[in-house]
Amino acid sequence: MKTTLDPIILPINSSVAGNVLESYKAGDSIFALRHKLANTSFTTIIDSLRGIAIHLIDNGLLNQAISQFKWLDVLFSRCNIRNIADIHTAIKQTLIALYIESGQIDAAMKDAAEALTMLAQNARRKDEDFQILLALILYDLAQIHCAKKEYKQAEREISKAMKLLEKLTKTNPVRYGAALTLALNASTSIYRSRIDQANLLAHYQAATSTYLAEVNSGIKDATIRLVSSLQNEGNTLSQMNRHREAIHFYTRALKYLTHIESDFSLQQLQLSIDLGKALIQTTRNRDKGVHLLNTMLHKATKLNANDQHRQIVDILLNANNNRLDILGFWHKMFPK
């Protein structure tokens, strides 16, 4: 699925935005860009931001685009204009897509949560500016969850984006019709991915049954295969947002693994991290998850497991912010 920076999704139909883009190409500074955007319509702002981002991507300047848009957001924080909150959100929305384009999924998720927090300040708004911002963010958020193989969540988000785009298309089919069509195509792709994921889970379940029978029969090395299969089941269930079931499989995998490994290994560390992450996702077990992950920080240090150490820190940091809360808030705004 493509990001919202695909030129087809939202055509730049403002001549003023075209002039802003040409001035930028000719060497306008970021300060001049801020001044021009502060004195124009919101439609022109969205079109101008998209046009500049697409231009930089096309010229292989993706990292520069991210840096410039972050700086532009800082510059606007010094402005005192009427629609400043919407402008900040529009910049964030562009940054979300840029982060996805660069493969920085966690950074994209962080900015998505911040952008949704801004919109949540006036969640009952029905105006076009609000609806297109929310639709674009939800579209890219669906892609974020696709990248994380969390297809059920992605399906919900693309469905919400489609509802908004359907309303917008009725009033302006020329501007929003292509976006609706691409959202429909994306929803089909996400649905197929979710079906494939369910089939993969069924495969792991069958494999687990086979390896368990082999373990009970005393077949050599069967426990190693059983542990991997249980871990795969746990990972797939976590991606499907079925964290309580995932906890069960991670716990079983650790039980079998400790029987065949006397010393604490990298695989035990990774399984424990996966278990801790799943525990955090359930309200009842959240504190247990935090405690387990804090314990694993020391284990990771002893094993010189730098990648796992960073993974634990990221999970704990995310557990201490309101990212999940704000995403849950927007889910409630759109009943199933």
Side-chain angles (χ1 to χ4, degrees), residues 46-329:
I46 290 180
D47 286 356
S48 299
L49 293 175
R50 287 174 47 75
I52 291 169
I54 292 167
H55 163 70
L56 290 170
I57 290 173
D58 288 345
N59 285 275
L61 300 172
L62 181 53
N63 290 334
Q64 180 179 323
I66 292 172
S67 297
Q68 292 220 356
F69 275 83
K70 288 171 70 175
W71 179 229
L72 184 64
D73 195 40
V74 172
L75 291 180
F76 267 108
S77 67
R78 302 170 185 173
C79 288
N80 184 21
I81 54 180
R82 181 181 57 81
N83 62 339
I84 187 63
D86 283 351
I87 294 174
H88 279 304
T89 308
I91 295 171
K92 285 286 185 189
Q93 188 279 313
T94 311
L95 273 168
I96 294 163
L98 287 169
Y99 279 130
I100 295 172
E101 295 276 355
S102 68
Q104 300 181 59
I105 300 303
D106 288 340
M109 177 70 89
K110 177 177 177 293
D111 270 20
E114 290 179 5
L116 290 175
T117 299
M118 293 178 191
L119 291 179
Q121 305 306 312
N122 296 286
R124 296 187 180 278
R125 283 175 57 182
K126 302 294 183 183
D127 57 279
E128 182 178 339
D129 296 346
F130 178 86
Q131 290 188 57
I132 188 55
L133 275 178
L134 181 54
L136 292 174
I137 292 168
L138 290 172
Y139 189 106
D140 281 332
L141 190 55
Q143 182 164 6
I144 291 170
H145 281 124
C146 269
K148 296 166 73 69
K149 297 182 181 180
E150 296 168 348
Y151 300 117
K152 185 176 180 181
Q153 290 156 282
E155 239 185 311
R156 293 170 68 187
E157 282 138 11
I158 201 66
S159 175
K160 296 167 189 175
M162 283 168 55
K163 289 180 182 178
L164 289 165
L165 290 169
E166 283 172 359
K167 293 179 182 178
L168 291 167
T169 300
K170 288 178 181 178
T171 59
N172 193 340
V174 174
R175 180 162 172 79
Y176 299 113
L180 177 58
T181 300
L182 288 173
L184 284 165
N185 293 338
S187 68
T188 301
S189 176
I190 292 169
Y191 175 74
R192 287 173 181 164
S193 297
R194 188 160 70 87
I195 295 300
D196 289 343
Q197 188 182 58
N199 291 336
L200 184 63
L201 177 61
H203 166 76
Y204 289 141
Q205 289 171 335
T208 294
S209 298
T210 300
Y211 298 144
L212 183 58
E214 291 180 356
V215 169
N216 292 334
S217 300
I219 296 177
K220 186 179 180 181
D221 296 333
T223 303
I224 296 174
R225 294 191 291 272
L226 175 61
V227 169
S228 295
S229 187
L230 288 168
Q231 186 172 12
N232 286 332
E233 278 194 75
N235 290 340
T236 306
L237 286 164
S238 287
Q239 290 163 358
M240 297 172 78
N241 211 28
R242 294 162 61 178
H243 300 293
R244 294 185 186 279
E245 294 169 76
I247 290 168
H248 171 70
F249 286 96
Y250 288 139
T251 303
R252 286 180 66 194
L254 277 168
K255 177 183 175 182
Y256 283 108
L257 189 58
T258 53
H259 285 165
I260 60 175
E261 293 183 348
S262 55
D263 295 327
F264 194 82
S265 64
L266 271 176
Q267 187 174 7
Q268 288 185 45
L269 174 62
Q270 187 60 59
L271 264 170
S272 299
I273 294 171
D274 293 339
L275 173 59
K277 187 176 181 180
L279 287 166
I280 282 176
Q281 298 298 320
T282 62
T283 304
R284 183 180 298 178
N285 297 304
R286 183 182 176 89
D287 291 342
K288 291 180 182 177
V290 171
H291 176 74
L292 175 60
L293 291 172
N294 278 315
T295 303
M296 289 304 110
L297 274 176
H298 300 291
K299 298 281 190 181
T301 301
K302 288 183 178 179
L303 291 172
N304 293 317
N306 295 327
D307 289 344
Q308 285 79 5
H309 194 282
R310 281 193 296 271
Q311 185 182 357
I312 295 168
V313 171
D314 287 343
I315 294 170
L316 289 172
L317 284 174
N318 292 337
N320 289 327
N321 66 32
N322 66 346
R323 175 188 303 173
L324 297 176
D325 293 338
I326 192 63
L327 296 181
F329 169 83

